[in-house]
Amino acid sequence: MYNLLKGKRGIIFGALDENSIAWKTAERVHEEGGVFVLSNAPAAMRLGNISDLALKTGAQVIPADATSVTDLEKLIEQAMDILGGKIDFVLHSIGMSVNVRKGNHYTDQNYDFTQKGWNVSAVSFHKVLQVLYKKDAMNEWGSIVALSYMAAQRVFPDYNDMADNKAFLESVARSFGYFFGRDKKVRVNTISQSPTATKAGQGVKGFNGFIAFADKMAPLGNASALDCANYTVSMFSDLTKMVTLQNLLHDGGFSNVGVSQEVMEMFE
């Protein structure tokens, strides 16, 4: 234990079960001395066991719909009251596509589902940032991180409209991050993680085949949820205080490999 986050306070959105990146991050933040509140939508909380994580880390759980500005205002006020001051770190680990759930192909979307998906996955991040900004809820040199995926830049056919959602998310981080950095000295970044066996990830068609392919492509192999949690802890710490407006690729090198020898051998 290095106590990288000793004395730091935060909010972690999206911890669902022990396989989720937010869950692993909460555990690692706790180990590094940080304190936080946990939040998820009431409907999502019924699908997981967030109370177990709260008990393990000594955190309080505040249900909130991240698409509701009213809910977010109440959450942030309660969080500052519980934690005893302004916030140092926030993790946004929220993503959802109804089109993916319903099996709608990218070329045959239900646009009501599309709108709901980008509202939950991307607009919610803008709302979190806006409420934090307006309430002046972040300490200087605080750090806000959202989880993304490389389909925001490159084609992964079965990732469907989540690719558009992640592109939107990354743009929000850059655009709002400029004002947060200039006005509040707060960092805003996204982490583009390897395909990870979370509840959300496994909902994507062909996921098992793709995670195996990515592992053969990446020279270091796929980064695990715990690896991502460790990286997120480093982004919350003062060791990365000058890093902002970045989409940080955390994928074992996958993003820079055209083809690997291991994949070539499968076709020879």
Side-chain angles (χ1 to χ4, degrees):
M1 185 181 294
Y2 299 101
N3 288 322
L4 282 175
L5 303 179
K6 186 175 182 179
K8 293 190 180 296
R9 302 177 285 252
I11 302 172
I12 294 177
F13 290 91
L16 184 64
D17 58 34
E18 58 275 3
N19 296 315
S20 73
I21 293 170
W23 185 292
K24 300 292 187 188
T25 301
E27 291 178 328
R28 288 294 295 117
V29 168
H30 175 64
E31 291 168 358
E32 294 293 344
V35 294
F36 48 86
V37 298
L38 297 164
S39 186
N40 212 329
M45 288 173 60
R46 290 193 290 271
L47 299 174
N49 46 353
I50 195 172
S51 59
D52 293 344
L53 178 62
L55 184 64
K56 181 177 182 179
T57 60
Q60 291 195 38
V61 180
I62 305 175
D65 178 355
T67 67
S68 166
V69 171
T70 300
D71 276 17
L72 290 171
E73 289 173 340
K74 291 177 181 176
L75 164 65
I76 289 164
E77 288 168 3
Q78 290 179 47
M80 289 193 290
D81 185 53
I82 290 166
L83 299 172
K86 290 186 178 184
I87 305 302
D88 298 293
F89 61 86
V90 175
L91 175 65
H92 179 283
S93 180
I94 303 170
M96 184 274 295
S97 167
V98 187
N99 281 308
V100 169
R101 282 187 195 169
K102 299 293 186 179
N104 295 338
H105 194 267
Y106 186 78
T107 61
D108 187 28
Q109 293 185 35
N110 176 313
Y111 291 116
D112 290 335
F113 293 167
T114 305
Q115 185 174 8
K116 186 172 183 180
W118 61 250
N119 193 26
V120 171
S121 304
V123 180
S124 68
F125 188 46
H126 193 286
K127 291 176 180 178
V128 169
L129 293 169
Q130 182 166 293
V131 174
L132 289 166
Y133 181 90
K134 285 187 172 182
K135 286 189 173 295
D136 195 26
M138 296 291 297
N139 279 318
E140 284 196 354
W141 304 110
S143 176
I144 302 170
V145 171
L147 297 181
S148 189
Y149 182 56
M150 198 176 66
Q153 289 86 33
R154 298 188 185 182
V155 176
F156 293 86
D158 291 325
Y159 204 60
N160 208 303
D161 59 339
M162 275 303 301
D164 302 330
N165 296 341
K166 292 301 188 184
F168 192 170
L169 178 84
E170 291 177 14
S171 180
V172 167
R174 287 188 297 270
S175 298
F176 213 124
Y178 168 78
F179 297 104
F180 237 135
R182 185 194 68 181
D183 301 336
K184 311 284 189 181
K185 294 293 184 286
V186 170
R187 297 165 278 157
V188 182
N189 295 285
T190 54
I191 294 175
S192 188
Q193 164 71 356
S194 295
T196 309
T198 62
K199 193 176 187 71
Q202 290 173 322
V204 176
K205 181 182 175 183
F207 177 80
N208 290 334
F210 178 64
I211 197 170
F213 169 77
D215 200 50
K216 288 185 179 295
M217 281 282 286
L220 296 180
N222 290 330
S224 69
L226 179 57
D227 292 327
C228 190
N230 287 327
Y231 192 37
T232 304
V233 165
S234 76
M235 292 307 300
F236 287 164
S237 78
D238 292 336
L239 299 178
T240 53
K241 66 184 292 185
M242 297 304 291
V243 181
T244 196
L245 312 186
Q246 303 302 309
N247 179 51
L248 301 159
L249 295 158
H250 186 256
D251 59 7
F254 176 92
S255 49
N256 271 333
V257 175
V259 66
S260 69
Q261 188 62 45
E262 289 82 358
V263 169
M264 284 291 292
E265 287 171 358
M266 295 169 64
F267 295 92
E268 289 177 344

